[in-house]
């Protein structure tokens, strides 16, 4: 699939290993990321709810990940002393060298640790994104927006952002209820039983156009709710559960730049997505436009 798509960046959205079955978590992690490493392609990862279920803690797993070749993953943001979880960080995708955007981030990628399981006896099942993480996101988003909308090449609206974390937000249910989505729902939406308010935080920030999650392996749908695309990818790893006759798959995201009148490259023009299946033909399905600067709220 890497050879077929030739991606510039690979993102692993958690449960990178099924640690309960791992006798050596570090070796299992090395194996899980080895396709990206051997292809010498930059990659980033977040943690799921199963990565820490062996001898390595969540911190230990993330500390191992950041030592691996070609990774852009970070343990946590520099200069932030108090933040919940491990693997909260952002990456900036700058414009083309030699253009007016080479020192500006035209696409912002946010990575967050959505935790594993609730630590409160009165709250069952899965964890959620905490206030400390939301505060970091808000501050980071605001800083990036100010830089993008300042001279030189001051823009009238924020650069688009994409957010990656493992456990889906409760608002995925709203997408399903609307039936306005592309792809399939074959698993329950296993979000936290409490709503942390992170979706509202994303809406208020105004720059994130799409959220990508893992967790529910048999869901691969993507649909819009309140101006943000909420997307699954379908399970990719063969170390985790799947469905007979339903090919493992990965979601591809392509960002396209505007061509300026001076024959240079400008800001982002659109963000598209499709899914690449691990079937006999490495089929491509469900092409969607996630965002375009012609859509409301675009530049």
């Amino acid at each position: 699939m890497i050879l077929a798509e030739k991606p510039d960046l690979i993102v692993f959205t958690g449960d990178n290993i099924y640690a309960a079955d791992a006798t050596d978590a570090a070796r299992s992690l090395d194996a899980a990321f080895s396709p990206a490493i051997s292809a010498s392609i930059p990659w980033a990862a977040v943690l799921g709810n199963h990565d820490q279920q062996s001898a390595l803690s969540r911190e230990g797993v993330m500390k191992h990940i950041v030592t691996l070749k070609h990774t852009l993953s970070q343990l946590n943001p520099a200069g932030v002393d108090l933040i919940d979880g491990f693997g909260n960080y952002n990456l900036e995708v700058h414009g083309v060298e030699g253009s007016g955007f080479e020192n500006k981030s035209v696409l912002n990628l946010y990575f967050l640790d959505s935790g594993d399981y609730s630590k409160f006896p009165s709250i069952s099942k899965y964890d959620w994104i905490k206030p400390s993480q939301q505060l970091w996101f808000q501050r980071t988003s605001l800083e990036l927006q100010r830089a993008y909308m300042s001279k030189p090449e001051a823009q009238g609206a924020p650069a688009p952002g994409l957010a990656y974390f493992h456990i889906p937000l409760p608002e995925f249910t709203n997408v399903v209820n609307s039936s306005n989505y592309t792809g399939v729902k074959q698993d329950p939406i296993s979000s936290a039983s409490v709503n942390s308010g992170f979706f509202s935080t994303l809406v208020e920030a105004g720059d994130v156009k799409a959220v990508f999650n893992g967790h529910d392996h048999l869901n691969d749908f993507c649909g819009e709710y309140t101006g943000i695309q909420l997307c699954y990818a379908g399970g990719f790893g063969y170390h985790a559960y799947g469905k007979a006759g339903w090919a493992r798959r990965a979601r591809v995201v392509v960002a396209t730049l505007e061509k300026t009148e001076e024959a240079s490259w400008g800001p982002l023009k659109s963000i598209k997505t499709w899914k690449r299946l691990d079937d006999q033909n490495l089929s491509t399905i469900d092409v969607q436009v996630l965002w375009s600067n012609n859509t409301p709220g675009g530049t």
Side-chain angles (χ1 to χ4, degrees):
M1 289 178 68
I2 290 172
L3 290 172
E5 286 292 349
K6 299 179 176 62
D8 300 291
L9 174 71
I10 298 170
V11 179
F12 296 88
T13 52
D15 286 358
N16 307 293
I17 59 172
Y18 185 60
D21 282 349
T23 54
D24 186 333
R27 281 186 63 196
S28 291
L29 288 163
D30 294 348
F33 300 124
S34 63
I37 294 169
S38 61
S40 300
I41 292 174
W43 59 276
V46 293
L47 299 183
N49 53 296
H50 290 300
D51 289 293
Q52 78 293 336
Q53 293 173 326
S54 70
L56 279 182
S57 64
R58 291 181 77 75
E59 183 178 9
V61 169
M62 205 66 211
K63 280 184 172 178
H64 182 76
I65 288 172
V66 300
T67 66
L68 300 177
K69 285 185 177 178
H70 307 301
T71 192
L72 301 177
S73 309
Q74 298 169 33
L75 181 62
N76 266 331
V80 178
D81 295 328
L82 296 173
I83 189 167
D84 286 275
F86 302 96
N88 303 289
Y89 57 101
N90 69 292
L91 297 174
E92 299 179 19
V93 183
H94 283 217
V96 174
E97 286 184 21
S99 75
F101 290 84
E102 68 175 329
N103 294 317
K104 282 183 180 285
S105 180
V106 298
L107 177 66
N108 294 307
L109 308 178
Y110 301 99
F111 303 86
L112 296 104
D113 180 4
S114 54
D116 50 13
Y117 299 95
S118 168
K119 307 301 186 291
F120 299 91
S122 59
I123 302 172
S124 62
K125 293 294 276 186
Y126 298 110
D127 215 339
W128 55 89
I129 293 171
K130 304 298 194 301
S132 64
Q133 297 166 280
Q134 297 191 43
L135 181 61
W136 164 77
F137 164 76
Q138 287 173 310
R139 288 175 172 171
T140 304
S141 171
L142 187 60
E143 287 173 11
L144 290 165
Q145 290 187 43
R146 282 175 176 163
Y148 190 68
M149 298 167 72
S150 300
K151 294 180 180 180
E153 298 283 355
Q155 299 298 296
L162 306 175
Y164 292 89
F165 47 93
H166 183 70
I167 298 173
L169 298 170
E171 284 77 9
F172 271 72
T173 302
N174 297 77
V175 174
V176 173
N177 291 342
S178 73
S179 299
N180 184 25
Y181 58 85
T182 301
V184 298
K185 176 189 177 291
Q186 304 174 113
D187 266 341
I189 295 169
S190 302
S191 53
S193 59
V194 297
N195 193 323
S196 69
F198 187 50
F199 184 79
S200 298
T201 298
L202 292 171
V203 172
E204 288 169 9
D207 61 335
V208 169
K209 307 303 179 188
V211 170
F212 302 98
N213 298 131
H215 201 47
D216 301 322
H217 307 190
L218 303 184
N219 295 341
D220 73 350
F221 68 82
C222 193
E224 181 266 336
Y225 179 64
T226 321
I228 297 177
Q229 299 280 351
L230 299 178
C231 302
Y232 283 105
F236 180 72
Y238 285 89
H239 62 300
Y241 75 86
K243 181 181 178 182
W246 196 68
R248 307 289 169 132
R249 59 202 59 208
R251 182 172 289 282
V252 181
V253 179
V254 174
T256 305
L257 295 172
E258 276 185 3
K259 200 72 180 280
T260 65
E261 292 176 3
E262 299 81 27
S264 181
W265 294 102
L268 233 59
K269 178 182 179 182
S270 66
I271 302 172
K272 294 182 181 180
T273 187
W274 57 83
K275 284 161 293 193
R276 177 76 71 160
L277 308 188
D278 190 22
D279 60 12
Q280 202 165 7
N281 301 313
L282 290 176
S283 309
T284 296
I285 63 168
D286 294 345
V287 178
Q288 284 176 268
V289 176
L290 294 179
W291 174 83
S292 164
N293 60 7
N294 298 321
T295 56
T299 53

